[in-house]
């Protein structure tokens, strides 16, 4: 393949803009995965002396050992007696069973992935649209090995490029970012075919020992999400679960933790413990009965 700066010589800005505009006029509801993959490729591929192709340089990064990752699960109405029916086993803390998985931003139907938010739980809360004072399960993991991530929808590396070539690459990346992070309402899940296709076709880098994908939070400005490859969750350990609610104010999110849960020791079931218990102080010494 051509070097990036050589390939960009064959990217015509006017043609690229026209192709982006045409893509956004498509009726995605009627398109299959294969159709969408073809349309995305058409936008970002250009004719060169070596053939018609695209050239991207995804950014890779990593999270160190002991980084915490958060996942939120709703608690069903009426599920108020501890242990909660919706959070009673260790399996409840991980990705859902294959049979109930619906299409998501990076996954197809029946393809379970573990979606998390790193470092700060706020993004996980916002992603699930948790309302104030409603109880939810905040699941806490910790990295036991470095987590290698491929970054999607991040600014491109333009060092060494001319101003025109940098603009071309930025237009391509902006197109991919816009299509990847677009907000998807209930009933419009077919739009996930776009982000899933972008992920699998252009950011699936198994050859670099990729553990997960990292991308900007759609719901929380400045936040990030990390979605783990199916066979990489062993790089995480389950710390425990906080049964909590939130209140939003000018200072951000105030978490109120009611109880905590942990692996009971058999690897199957969760045991629940009150705030102030030795188990809570051991697992989550940073929290109190009113906030974390």
């Amino acid at each position: 393949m051509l070097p990036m700066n050589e390939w960009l010589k064959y990217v015509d800005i006017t043609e690229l803009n026209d192709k982006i505009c045409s893509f956004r006029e498509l009726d995605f509801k009627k398109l299959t995965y294969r159709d969408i993959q073809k349309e995305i490729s058409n936008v970002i591929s250009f004719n060169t002396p070596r053939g018609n192709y695209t050239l991207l340089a995804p950014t890779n990064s990593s999270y160190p050992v002991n980084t915490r990752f958060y996942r939120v699960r709703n608690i069903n109405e009426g599920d108020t007696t501890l242990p909660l029916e919706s959070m009673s086993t260790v399996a409840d803390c991980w990705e859902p069973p294959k049979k109930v998985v619906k299409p998501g931003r990076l996954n197809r139907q029946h393809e379970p992935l573990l979606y998390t938010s790193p470092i700060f739980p706020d993004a996980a809360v916002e992603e699930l649209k948790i309302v104030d004072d409603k109880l939810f399960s905040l699941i806490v993991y910790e990295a036991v090995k470095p987590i290698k991530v491929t970054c999607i929808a991040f600014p491109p590396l333009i060092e060494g490029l001319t101003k025109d070539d940098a603009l071309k690459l930025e237009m391509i990346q902006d197109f991919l970012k816009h299509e990847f992070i677009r907000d998807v309402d209930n009933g419009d899940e077919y739009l996930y075919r776009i982000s899933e296709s972008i992920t699998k076709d252009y950011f699936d880098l198994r050859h670099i020992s990729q553990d997960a994908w990292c991308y900007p939070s759609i719901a929380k400005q400045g936040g990030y999400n990390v979605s783990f490859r199916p066979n990489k969750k062993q790089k995480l350990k389950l710390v425990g679960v906080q049964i909590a609610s939130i209140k939003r104010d000018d200072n951000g999110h105030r978490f109120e933790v009611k109880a905590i849960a942990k692996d009971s020791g058999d690897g199957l079931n969760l045991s629940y413990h009150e705030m102030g218990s030795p188990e809570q102080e051991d697992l989550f010494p940073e929290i109190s009965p009113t906030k974390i």
Side-chain angles (χ1 to χ4, degrees):
M1 287 189 179
L2 294 169
M4 178 65 76
N5 61 339
E6 289 294 319
W7 176 76
L8 286 168
K9 292 179 181 179
Y10 299 96
V11 176
D12 181 271
I13 289 180
T14 300
E15 181 186 0
L16 174 59
N17 184 69
D18 290 344
K19 291 197 291 186
I20 291 173
C21 292
S22 296
F23 181 89
R24 290 175 177 162
E25 293 176 356
L26 295 171
D27 186 353
F28 297 109
K29 194 171 186 178
K30 296 180 179 179
L31 299 183
T32 65
Y33 273 106
R34 181 168 294 183
D35 293 333
I36 289 173
Q37 290 172 312
K38 181 179 178 181
E39 295 293 348
I40 293 171
S41 176
N42 178 62
V43 172
I44 61 177
S45 296
F46 291 86
N47 288 316
T48 76
R50 299 189 185 182
N52 183 281
Y53 67 88
T54 189
L55 185 60
L56 299 176
T59 301
N60 299 300
S61 188
S62 66
Y63 289 95
V65 171
N66 297 328
T67 300
R68 288 201 165 182
F69 295 83
Y70 299 90
R71 176 172 174 247
V72 167
R73 282 194 59 184
N74 280 309
I75 295 175
N76 297 330
E77 291 293 335
D79 187 9
T80 58
T81 303
L82 301 182
L84 300 175
E85 290 184 9
S86 59
M87 185 57 61
S88 61
T89 69
V90 172
D92 291 331
C93 299
W94 297 93
E95 70 274 17
K98 182 177 180 179
K99 63 182 180 181
V100 303
V101 173
K102 298 180 180 180
R105 198 162 299 278
L106 286 82
N107 68 280
R108 297 193 183 193
Q109 186 169 354
H110 304 315
E111 181 189 14
L113 294 179
L114 182 66
Y115 287 89
T116 71
S117 297
I119 304 174
F120 303 107
D122 304 29
V125 168
E126 294 300 332
E127 288 289 345
L128 211 61
K129 299 179 172 63
I130 298 296
V131 300
D132 282 15
D133 299 319
K134 185 180 186 301
L135 284 178
F136 58 90
S137 297
L138 178 66
I139 307 164
V140 184
Y141 314 94
E142 199 168 87
V144 295
K145 294 182 179 180
I147 306 298
K148 300 176 183 178
V149 298
T150 298
C151 303
I152 307 176
F154 280 58
L157 299 176
I158 60 174
E159 184 178 356
L161 298 179
T162 67
K163 185 176 180 180
D164 285 346
D165 284 348
L167 175 60
K168 295 173 184 178
L169 191 57
E170 287 169 346
M171 287 179 65
I172 292 172
Q173 291 289 79
D174 284 347
F175 162 72
L176 293 173
K177 177 180 179 178
H178 178 274
E179 297 305 326
F180 181 85
I181 68 172
R182 68 161 71 209
D183 199 13
V184 177
D185 295 325
N186 289 334
D188 294 335
E189 286 81 6
Y190 60 88
L191 292 173
Y192 283 137
R193 297 171 191 166
I194 303 173
S195 58
E196 194 271 345
S197 296
I198 289 172
T199 302
K200 303 299 174 56
D201 287 350
Y202 303 103
F203 296 91
D204 195 354
L205 308 178
R206 304 180 191 186
H207 60 282
I208 63 164
S209 300
Q210 175 197 57
D211 300 314
W213 296 274
C214 178
Y215 54 96
S217 171
I218 291 81
K220 173 68 175 178
Q221 185 70 27
Y224 295 92
N225 295 316
V226 171
S227 178
F228 284 81
R229 299 185 69 90
N231 61 340
K232 297 295 184 177
K233 70 178 186 180
Q234 70 269 22
K235 289 196 170 185
L236 298 175
K237 71 174 182 180
L238 174 66
V239 177
V241 183
Q242 299 173 13
I243 308 304
S245 63
I246 59 163
K247 290 184 181 294
R248 296 172 176 87
D249 54 34
D250 293 340
N251 295 319
H253 297 68
R254 181 161 58 88
F255 288 74
E256 298 184 354
V257 184
K258 314 298 183 182
I260 67 108
K262 56 172 287 190
D263 185 332
S264 65
D266 63 6
L268 297 174
N269 300 295
L270 295 176
S271 59
Y272 276 75
H273 306 275
E274 297 179 349
M275 297 300 298
S277 64
E279 290 82 4
Q280 177 259 304
E281 293 177 355
D282 177 50
L283 293 179
F284 303 113
E286 72 278 12
I287 66 176
S288 72
T290 57
K291 62 182 180 180
I292 62 173

